[in-house]
Amino acid sequence: MPLTEYRHRPLAFFARYIARHAVAHAVILLAVLGAVAFSVSTQYGVKFLVDSLSQEPGQGKSPWLAFTVLVSFVAADNLLWRVASWVASYAFVNVTGDLRSELFRHLTGHSPGYFADRLPGVLTSRITATSNAVFQIENMFVWNVLPPCVATVGAISFLTMVSVKMAAVLIVIAAVVMLAMFHIAAAGRPLHHKFANKAAAVDGEMVDVIGNMALVRAFGGTAREHSRFDMTVAEEMTARRRSLQYLEKLRLTHALVVVVMTLVLLAWAITLWEEKQATAGDVVLVCTLGLSVLSATRDLAVALVDVTQHMARLTEALATLLSPHDMHDHPEASALVPNGARVTFENVTFGYPGSGGKLVFNGFNAEIEPGQRVGLVGRSGSGKSTLVGLMQRFYRVQGGRILIDGHDIAKATETSLRNAIAIVPQDTALLNRTLMENIRYGRPDATDEEVWEAATAARCRSFIENLPEGLETVVGDRGVKLSGGQRQRIAIARAFLKNAPLLILDEATSALDSDSEEAIRQALESLMAGRTVITIAHRLSTLRNFDRILVLEGGKMIEDGAPEALMRSRGVYYDLVTRELGRLSEQAA
Ligand SMILES: Nc1ncnc2c1ncn2[C@@H]1O[C@H](COP(=O)(O)OP(=O)(O)OP(=O)(O)O)[C@@H](O)[C@H]1O
């Protein structure tokens, strides 16, 4: 069953993972049932011992028989607990591992739109919360819920031997107390839900700020962030306090009931003894069993409340994490086999989901020939990044088609589409791994020599050789240990290694020094050779050698032609270039 089916079914979600380790879970269950049965029987063994000791020596049953029974019960009880917890250390841990892997796989299958709407910290903390919640619930159920239930049933059966009436009263009281506790515990769920939400918000906020520390510092926002964080934490603390205090009220109510009930049961047993209807052993039995039943209901109630709290976290997390993927392969998808990489936009209509029907493109048409170098130009917000995103199928078009070599990308398999396109992104994304691993991301089966060749072609060789650990240098979070120009060249090397026929370049907006610019220009020049290239150009000077410029405005193509032709026609492109030249000469002056 696909994971999304469990989005609103946390119990079925549990069953999925328990079923994978069914034998281990069955062993744990049987061991715990056995252990509790022996533990309750131990109390009966104590009554047996007290009754034998109340007789003159030599009369009645030998206390040594009671001794043997007692010792065997205690040994069996302890041994079975150990078996259960040993097996649990494998089974429960395996469940958390399986679950995190599957959730991570599902999460990484969402489209970029999903991630644009959510904080990474919230998502990652939800995966951790789900795994913790499942681990806690399994543990609680086996160690805190199941034992008191079995103990209560056992104790009540033994009590019937002393007084059926007393056992009946205890059943009624235990049932009423349990039901009341359960009801009150369930009523507290909204408080626990609220706490779960606030806790996730704190994590999300922390990751957001720490991930943007450079920005926060640059704008002197540290103090503002402190007070904002204090407010978020204060809300979380209030929610957590309310959740805990609710549990405390529940425990207090239960404690009062237990005190009163112990008094009543004990007084009742002593009265029976005075009337010679019960032995001293019976009084001991009533005392120990009564106490264990009553405290069992407390353990159970407390455990159930904790379980409810963890269930709330789990339900919450599953609802967010298991939302269905909005982009998946078409049922009739087939592999895209590129042949020169001709790109066709055919009446493309698109608006971002949730933007209230506002369209970025409405019937957009364009055809890019194989091997053509095309620059996308236009003012901010004109739709350049959206067009490039649509080509990569980050979003679904609402009308029309995008074709690569005549194959509708909506009907291409995801893998074949990704293989056809190489990207050099604007904000060069690098993973916090070695340079070797980052470059090899372009083609995981590339040999070390091939990685070196790509690095050389991307003009990275000299700076990599100057690093103490060469290609084995770990680049730091998002590549902070490299300069902007170096990061760009690593991204170019990665694209080289991928060797895809269609290349998308999102030019960096930040200006680099001229040496670095020149190295990147050379690297890009060799990367572009023999490929269809679509570039989002922020600096028009880089487009001089391009075959074609498409000028966008408000999602429409308003100019299309070779750079010189557009310059001659003195339209929008001409204006943009003249303005850029003006700016550059002002800066130079
Ligand atoms: N994730 C999104 N959700 C909703 N609307 C978006 C999203 N991304 C972009 N838009 C909107 O779509 C329109 C086109 O944006 P796009 O990013 O494609 O422009 P652009 O030409 O690449 O701009 P820039 O040069 O500033 O990067 C804009 O009106 C923008 O506000």
Side-chain angles (χ1 to χ4, degrees):
M1 197 157 49
L3 218 49
T4 44
E5 294 288 314
Y6 300 98
R7 191 176 177 197
H8 301 294
R9 298 167 61 210
L11 289 176
F13 182 74
F14 252 106
R16 174 187 174 94
Y17 294 99
I18 290 173
R20 289 205 191 150
H21 307 280
V23 177
H25 280 90
V27 171
I28 298 170
L29 198 69
L30 289 176
V32 170
L33 288 178
V36 180
F38 279 114
S39 148
V40 178
S41 308
T42 308
Q43 288 158 15
Y44 191 75
V46 174
K47 163 201 150 55
F48 193 21
L49 184 66
V50 171
D51 281 345
S52 345
L53 293 175
S54 329
Q55 317 248 317
E56 289 301 311
Q59 287 181 356
K61 297 229 168 66
S62 157
W64 290 108
L65 180 61
F67 165 85
T68 315
V69 170
L70 246 181
V71 170
S72 340
F73 283 4
V74 169
D77 171 11
N78 280 287
L79 212 71
L80 285 170
W81 277 121
R82 297 289 57 84
V83 170
S85 48
W86 185 258
V87 180
S89 70
Y90 285 95
F92 295 177
V93 171
N94 285 348
V95 166
T96 61
D98 289 358
L99 184 149
R100 263 179 296 181
S101 299
E102 284 205 341
L103 287 179
F104 181 68
R105 276 183 175 71
H106 181 79
L107 188 66
T108 49
H110 283 296
S111 71
Y114 176 92
F115 294 100
D117 292 343
R118 293 164 176 85
L119 290 171
V122 171
L123 295 174
T124 50
S125 83
R126 289 239 145 112
I127 293 193
T128 313
T130 308
S131 140
N132 287 347
V134 165
F135 187 71
Q136 294 291 350
I137 294 172
E138 280 215 291
N139 275 295
M140 290 253 154
F141 182 77
V142 170
W143 316 127
N144 305 83
V145 174
L146 193 61
C149 287
V150 183
T152 306
V153 172
I156 288 175
S157 341
F158 280 124
L159 259 190
T160 49
M161 295 179 192
V162 178
S163 157
V164 176
K165 218 185 207 171
M166 199 182 271
V169 169
L170 200 62
I171 290 176
V172 174
I173 291 168
V176 170
V177 172
M178 264 316 304
L179 280 177
M181 289 288 149
F182 199 80
H183 182 74
I184 305 174
R189 233 181 250 168
L191 287 177
H192 312 319
H193 262 291
K194 192 165 179 190
F195 163 51
N197 267 335
K198 297 284 176 198
V202 170
D203 287 353
E205 182 98 9
M206 270 196 290
V207 172
D208 192 29
V209 173
I210 290 172
N212 285 305
M213 254 343 270
L215 167 94
V216 173
R217 279 271 159 74
F219 284 88
T222 318
R224 265 178 289 152
E225 290 306 331
H226 288 172
S227 36
R228 193 186 149 100
F229 186 69
D230 288 347
M231 260 154 62
T232 319
V233 169
E235 283 178 20
E236 188 248 18
M237 286 196 303
T238 312
R240 173 175 257 182
R241 196 175 301 117
R242 290 206 177 121
S243 165
L244 284 177
Q245 285 176 346
Y246 189 84
L247 298 186
E248 261 330 295
K249 280 186 210 151
L250 188 80
R251 290 188 183 120
L252 183 67
T253 317
H254 185 271
L256 292 174
V257 175
V258 169
V259 170
V260 173
M261 283 319 302
T262 315
L263 282 175
V264 172
L265 275 183
L266 203 54
W268 191 353
I270 292 173
T271 318
L272 287 178
W273 175 79
E274 279 173 347
E275 291 164 1
K276 301 233 178 303
Q277 288 176 30
T279 63
D282 289 340
V283 176
V284 171
L285 187 67
V286 168
C287 187
T288 55
L289 291 183
L291 272 180
S292 73
V293 167
L294 289 168
S295 62
T297 61
R298 185 197 56 209
D299 290 350
L300 194 53
V302 171
L304 281 176
V305 174
D306 286 349
V307 167
T308 330
Q309 209 171 11
H310 288 300
M311 269 317 248
R313 276 198 156 211
L314 182 67
T315 314
E316 190 72 47
L318 290 183
T320 317
L321 291 174
L322 296 185
S323 56
H325 292 156
D326 45 2
M327 297 297 288
H328 26 70
D329 281 353
H330 191 275
E332 291 152 27
S334 58
L336 164 69
V337 185
N339 177 22
R342 172 192 302 276
V343 184
T344 316
F345 295 91
E346 213 178 76
N347 274 324
V348 172
T349 299
F350 173 76
Y352 280 97
S355 60
K358 192 177 146 246
L359 291 178
V360 182
F361 293 106
N362 192 359
F364 180 86
N365 286 297
E367 173 118 11
I368 294 163
E369 304 292 330
Q372 216 170 35
R373 292 184 186 184
V374 175
L376 293 179
V377 173
R379 294 192 177 84
S380 182
S382 56
K384 305 179 294 289
S385 312
T386 308
L387 199 65
V388 160
L390 289 177
M391 266 170 57
Q392 297 171 70
R393 212 173 72 186
F394 285 170
Y395 298 91
R396 205 188 306 274
V397 291
Q398 281 116 31
R401 301 191 299 168
I402 300 172
L403 306 139
I404 296 181
D405 289 326
H407 195 131
D408 182 354
I409 61 163
K411 292 186 182 153
T413 56
E414 168 97 22
T415 322
S416 68
L417 180 64
R418 301 283 164 246
N419 285 341
I421 307 177
I423 322 261
V424 179
Q426 182 182 55
D427 50 343
T428 312
L430 295 181
L431 295 163
N432 188 9
R433 301 179 191 169
T434 63
L435 281 171
M436 178 72 104
E437 286 170 291
N438 270 294
I439 300 177
R440 194 175 267 145
Y441 219 77
R443 182 151 55 86
D445 59 358
T447 61
D448 287 3
E449 286 73 44
E450 286 170 323
V451 171
W452 261 123
E453 276 168 28
T456 313
R459 310 292 188 275
C460 298
R461 200 176 181 113
S462 59
F463 89 78
I464 293 178
E465 279 172 347
N466 279 331
L467 293 169
E469 287 174 85
L471 272 175
E472 291 309 315
T473 309
V474 176
V475 302
D477 187 28
R478 305 198 133 244
V480 285
K481 293 191 197 159
L482 301 177
S483 76
Q486 289 168 342
R487 278 203 294 270
Q488 287 250 309
R489 279 178 276 160
I490 295 295
I492 295 172
R494 189 167 58 190
F496 251 117
L497 206 54
K498 185 157 186 191
N499 197 19
L502 177 57
L503 179 64
I504 295 177
L505 304 175
D506 195 352
E507 198 186 66
T509 38
S510 54
L512 300 164
D513 66 68
S514 48
D515 282 353
S516 200
E517 289 264 5
E518 182 53 21
I520 290 171
R521 199 193 58 74
Q522 288 175 8
L524 281 177
E525 198 58 44
S526 22
L527 177 63
M528 289 193 284
R531 302 177 213 272
T532 306
V533 181
I534 298 177
T535 297
I536 300 182
H538 298 285
R539 273 162 300 152
L540 306 175
S541 51
T542 55
L543 296 177
R544 268 190 299 253
N545 300 327
F546 271 50
D547 302 312
R548 188 173 163 195
I549 307 289
L550 301 182
V551 183
L552 299 182
E553 195 165 287
K556 293 196 174 56
M557 189 157 60
I558 52 165
E559 281 177 28
D560 175 8
E564 320 81 62
L566 293 189
M567 285 304 282
R568 278 195 303 272
S569 65
R570 303 204 158 212
V572 176
Y573 179 69
Y574 172 84
D575 281 350
L576 290 170
V577 171
T578 343
R579 237 182 283 162
E580 183 177 290
L581 287 175
R583 244 193 344 264
L584 288 176
S585 55
E586 256 173 45
Q587 280 165 6

